Amino acid sequence: MKILILLTFLTLSVFVQAQKFDEVQLANEYFTKGETEKALSMYEDLSRQMANIPLIHNNYFHLLLEMKKYDEAQKYLRGLTKRFPNNVYYRLDEGLIYESQGNEEKTNKHFRQIINDIKDDNYLVQTVASYFVNKQFTALAAETLEQARKAMHNDNLYALELANVYRVANEKDKMVEEYLKYVTQNPANLSYVKNTLQNLLVEPEELESLENLLYQKIQDEPDSQIYGELLIWVNLQQKNFYGAFIQARAIDKRMKAEGSRSMNIGHIALDNNDYETAIKVFSYIIKTYPETYNYLLARMYLIKAYEKKVKNTFPVDKEEIKILIKDYDIFVSEMGINRNTLEALRNKALLHAFYLDQKDSAIAILKKVIENPKATSELKSQSKLDLGDIYILTGEPWESTLLYSQVEKSNKNEPLGYEAKLKNAKLSYYKGNFQLAQEHLDILKQATTREIANDAMALSILIKDNVALDSTETAMKKYAAIEQMLYQNKTDSALVAIKQMRKEFSRHSLSDELLWLEADIYKKRGDFEESIRLLKKIVDEYDYDILSDDAYFTMGDIYDKQLNDKEKAMEIYRDFLTRYPGSVYVAEARKRYRQLRGDFNM
């Protein structure tokens, strides 16, 4: 009998709970639909049982404020506060009543009393700060954390929490200060802070502000590695590679790192065509760390940096090329045959082929590299690609295809394999076999290497745009043949063909492409005036087309690097930033403008 009574009681209890749950759901449904009177009536009834409060509080309290029933809201909250004196949320909600009434003074007084009461309790400090952030009282959230800092006598406490508050409030200077405090207390989180700042500091002025702040910090704490590491990072973001090197050099000395950070900066500078900085970096490593492994690498990369400088100073001086070849010979002779010197031999072979027209010498060198047992599989594949390129120069495209296909097969789903496929696509393109070229390019658009994917996309668009308008493909085939001539260094023939094609297809969609090729020929010949004239024609007459920003940036580059006209270069770079804000050259144009203005002088 007792068991039966107990079961009946439990069943009844479950039934009552289910009924109450259904009532809560119905009240919430009325609330959601905006049927405020029905919702309010049900919430009032439900609020009489404390078990329902967690289920209805937010909606019920919001409804009371929305309907301006402030006395009822006050009475409701005071009942909860009396029943649950340790629940800080109900005390905080009371401040929302004063805020809804427009009583700013009373609101602030109430909230600040809570802040003062909980400032010694870590859990409540974070709870209250989060509440203020959620209710968009970011100033009060910051005040909560700052007061707790003072109470606990620790100026670095809650740094990450405060950084997030200032991020929400869009107070970026204060946010950065807190991230710096956070990372100095937790150096292991340096990568996290870098990634966060990279996402949040998107304007150039914000990076400059961070740079200035870091310089101040380093003056105050010259031995701080963290500030130095961050200064390297912020300089790299601004493409100020020399500034990054200054900091890397200091940390290398302090950490006895044998120039490792400096070496990394040299590589980055070289990859970004800042060969002047790269030369300074590698020269420094050679002089400072002669007994280390970095010395060997710096020796080779110094020659590569000079090589890049020679190749980008027009017209290219063949005597300088011969000096570079001699430098490579000396390096190989002193160091013997090893992995690094085999790379040097490969570089030397390319100079013979593409700048001195000594193709037989280049082929012989590359074959030796490929056959050498000390060569890595990657180096052998790279050398095969180079050999394929040279066979294009000698007019043996079938040999090129064979080598490209070998590399593609042995490096499936690897960058070298994708590069080989791109070269095969270009070979088909040169021959005028656009359909086969497109088949290769469609696969390459998904390549994991961004540069290859972008190159594939650009060539694919060029073919599609210009074949679609010409079913005979006549113009496109002539254009592809010109590009092959230029690859083979037959610039005289290419120039004649360009001029003829510009007359024959004066209104064709390839007109700006032809101007671009012609301007590039004159630039490489050192006829900068004619090159600028043609580039300006692209900017003025084809400002809507894809090459307009390339042409304008190149004009600035010629005034800057070739003519040494700094004022004119600055004018173009400055104008470029507003004229082409979405261009891929924006960061480089800004860096060069600041460089010419003297921002990076040290």
Side-chain angles (χ1 to χ4, degrees), residues 42-58:
M42 292 195 72
Y43 283 142
E44 284 174 347
D45 180 52
L46 289 164
S47 68
R48 293 187 179 95
Q49 293 189 30
M50 289 296 114
N52 293 325
I53 296 301
L55 303 174
I56 67 169
H57 174 73
N58 287 336

Side-chain angles (χ1 to χ4, degrees), residues 124-134 137 140-142 144-145 165:
L124 289 178
V125 165
Q126 297 200 51
T127 300
V128 170
S130 295
Y131 177 94
F132 284 139
V133 170
N134 290 334
F137 295 127
L140 285 168
T144 302
L145 297 166
V165 169

Side-chain angles (χ1 to χ4, degrees), residues 253-275:
K253 279 185 179 178
R254 194 179 308 123
M255 302 299 295
K256 297 182 180 179
E258 299 183 343
S260 296
R261 283 176 182 78
S262 299
M263 193 75 193
N264 185 46
I265 302 302
H267 282 302
I268 295 170
L270 191 58
D271 288 342
N272 283 270
N273 297 317
D274 187 352
Y275 33 83

